[in-house]
Amino acid sequence: MAKDMEVAEAGSFSAKDYHDPPPAPLFDAKELTKWSFYRALIAEFIATLLFLYITVLTVIGYKSQIDGSADSCGGVGILGIAWAFGGMIFVLVYCTAGISGGHINPAVTFGLLIARKVSLIRAVMYVVAQCLGAICGVGLVKAFQKSYYKKYGGGANTLADGFSTGTGLGAEIIGTFVLVYTVFSATDPKRSARDSHVPVLAPLPIGFAVFMVHLATIPITGTGINPARSLGAAVIYNQDKAWDDHWIFWVGPFAGAAIAAFYHQFILRAGAVKALGSFRSAQRF
């Protein structure tokens, strides 16, 4: 009996067998015939809509609370705004991960496309759904807060005074790298297999990554790291200031996502070494 218990205890901590999942096909027209594909698009649309609705309302509410107030710490403050963004990402990724993967961000989708985690068709349609969801979410904010919306900038991302475009671009690249790197690490199937005895709730570190990046970059760019978020606010606010340097909020996140995908897949996961090894093995035959 004692020996059986020892074997059971030893086996309970053994790692699961792991095999790298095959890369997603670049073009997969069959997806267009599946209800699960359209269900995922709806999930991305609604999640991004809710994300922009709550977060932009928080930004505008904070600005209205401190307007004309002698208390410089009035309202939720930058810390509260960062919590709103990070908390909503945690909630929405948790709710939609099993349906669409919980991207809610074109930069995340782009990084996963580079890593061959999603097909090109799915990636393009996700980005469209995310951008439409963001525009509708900010549209709801404007509908409910007409008196405050334009007065307090519509929650649009703009480069703060005193910072160069290079600084803003660098902040967006690094901030998105942190986010997408966290996404890859938190959802890595190899990590789940190796550390199977350690429960990891993937949305939690992703939400914290968003929270920490906002704390660092709100004073610089208002924190984009999500092209859909920046586009939705710019389209509904539609003032020159919102479109000035808007390219930063697309180029920066996409560049950061690409770097994170390359770092995780080819450096940490040794993708380049595996590919070279396979090439050399093929040469022998």
Side-chain angles (χ1 to χ4, degrees), residues 31-194:
E31 286 189 312
L32 298 175
T33 64
K34 298 178 180 178
W35 163 243
S36 60
F37 174 70
Y38 297 99
R39 182 181 62 180
L41 293 180
I42 294 171
E44 287 292 311
F45 172 83
I46 295 297
T48 314
L49 182 153
L50 294 174
F51 176 61
L52 267 293
Y53 174 72
I54 294 297
T55 54
V56 172
L57 266 182
T58 303
V59 171
I60 293 174
Y62 165 64
K63 289 183 177 180
S64 66
Q65 286 174 321
I66 64 172
D67 184 33
S69 174
D71 183 8
S72 60
C73 297
V76 296
I78 290 179
L79 184 63
I81 293 173
W83 271 120
F85 278 88
M88 279 304 292
I89 286 296
F90 167 73
V91 170
L92 294 171
V93 171
Y94 179 83
C95 292
T96 60
I99 301 172
S100 65
H103 297 194
I104 321 172
N105 185 335
V108 171
T109 301
F110 181 66
L112 294 174
L113 172 65
I114 292 176
R116 298 292 300 277
K117 305 292 186 182
V118 296
S119 69
L120 179 61
I121 292 175
R122 184 174 289 264
V124 170
M125 294 304 294
Y126 270 23
V127 171
V128 172
Q130 291 156 0
C131 290
L132 290 176
I135 292 170
C136 292
V138 182
L140 286 177
V141 175
K142 183 177 181 180
F144 294 153
Q145 293 281 358
K146 285 185 179 180
S147 58
Y148 293 126
Y149 182 79
K150 284 199 172 182
K151 181 179 180 181
Y152 297 111
N157 287 123
T158 57
L159 188 62
D161 295 336
F163 292 99
S164 66
T165 55
T167 300
L169 181 63
E172 289 295 306
I173 291 174
I174 295 172
T176 311
F177 173 87
V178 172
L179 169 59
V180 178
Y181 172 42
T182 304
V183 170
F184 274 104
S185 298
T187 60
D188 189 346
K190 185 174 183 179
R191 175 173 182 162
S192 298
R194 185 185 64 234

